[in-house]
Amino acid sequence: FLKRLTNVSLDVQELPSVQIAQALRAGNAELGVISDAVDTSGLQVRPFRDDPLVLIMPRDHALAGRLQLSFADALEHAFVGLAATSALALHLHEQARQSGRELQVRVRAEGFDGVIRMVAHGAGLGIVPLASVQRWQATLPLTCVALHEPWAARRLQLCARDFSTLPGYAQALVATLAPG
């Protein structure tokens, strides 16, 4: 998009989906990419892409040989988590509570890359988006297992107050990210 439209500049900020929705509602952002788990009342959304969550662990972890794991199976072990206020951290703690358990967070990282590196070096298990793991799998000793939980089958959406009132460059970005 930026290569094609050389006169356009973007300000991209990474925030939890809840904060992105709040920024859109407050008029502090024009366009966002959010998880489908977020309340989008008062906003318009368009499908963007699947973003499944996966369980990661060091290759030598006791669970590494299993082809399928439930979140409940993983809760017997310590985790590397995200910052306690991140949307995903809050979501995982809630999922653990709903299963009657607690998420044992041994250490926290600011972002997915930090979680992945700590997990690869044996600090615990982690739950991150599959796309984040794929960037690291060739260089770090990780095992990645799909979570067959409905809440782990996340989908990302493009979100705006009103797509039809976006400036031309933002509409062109939407068309590039989610054609059709």
Side-chain angles (χ1 to χ4, degrees):
F1 173 79
L2 291 174
K3 185 176 181 180
R4 192 176 76 241
L5 298 175
T6 57
N7 62 332
V8 172
S9 296
L10 298 178
D11 180 12
V12 178
Q13 296 178 15
E14 187 174 351
L15 297 169
S17 293
V18 171
Q19 290 180 9
I20 293 169
Q22 291 168 346
L24 289 165
R25 285 186 192 101
N28 296 326
E30 294 178 294
L31 184 63
V33 177
I34 63 171
S35 161
D36 64 352
V38 172
D39 174 22
T40 57
S41 57
L43 301 171
Q44 294 180 352
V45 296
R46 293 189 183 170
F48 178 46
R49 68 175 174 86
D50 290 343
D51 189 42
L53 296 173
V54 295
L55 177 68
I56 59 171
M57 65 199 76
R59 288 186 185 142
D60 62 352
H61 192 277
L63 296 177
R66 300 195 35 198
L67 298 176
Q68 188 170 337
L69 288 166
S70 70
F71 184 53
D73 294 333
L75 289 173
E76 310 246 342
H77 301 271
F79 275 78
V80 176
L82 291 166
T85 57
S86 79
L88 181 56
L90 295 170
H91 184 65
L92 292 176
H93 279 285
E94 180 57 29
Q95 294 305 319
R97 276 190 223 97
Q98 287 182 16
S99 72
R101 311 281 295 280
E102 287 295 320
L103 186 67
Q104 305 168 51
V105 178
R106 187 170 178 212
V107 63
R108 295 189 184 278
E110 282 300 314
F112 297 131
D113 289 346
V115 170
I116 292 165
R117 288 192 309 270
M118 286 187 209
V119 166
H121 290 95
L125 303 177
I127 295 180
V128 296
L130 177 60
S132 295
V133 177
Q134 290 172 330
R135 291 191 296 263
W136 288 97
Q137 274 188 310
T139 59
L140 290 175
L142 286 172
T143 295
C144 176
V145 179
L147 283 169
H148 296 286
E149 318 279 345
W151 56 263
R154 279 189 338 171
R155 291 194 169 86
L156 295 180
Q157 311 175 94
L158 293 177
C159 189
R161 284 181 310 283
D162 183 345
F163 286 106
S164 68
T165 62
L166 289 173
Y169 71 89
Q171 288 187 16
L173 179 58
V174 169
T176 300
L177 295 175

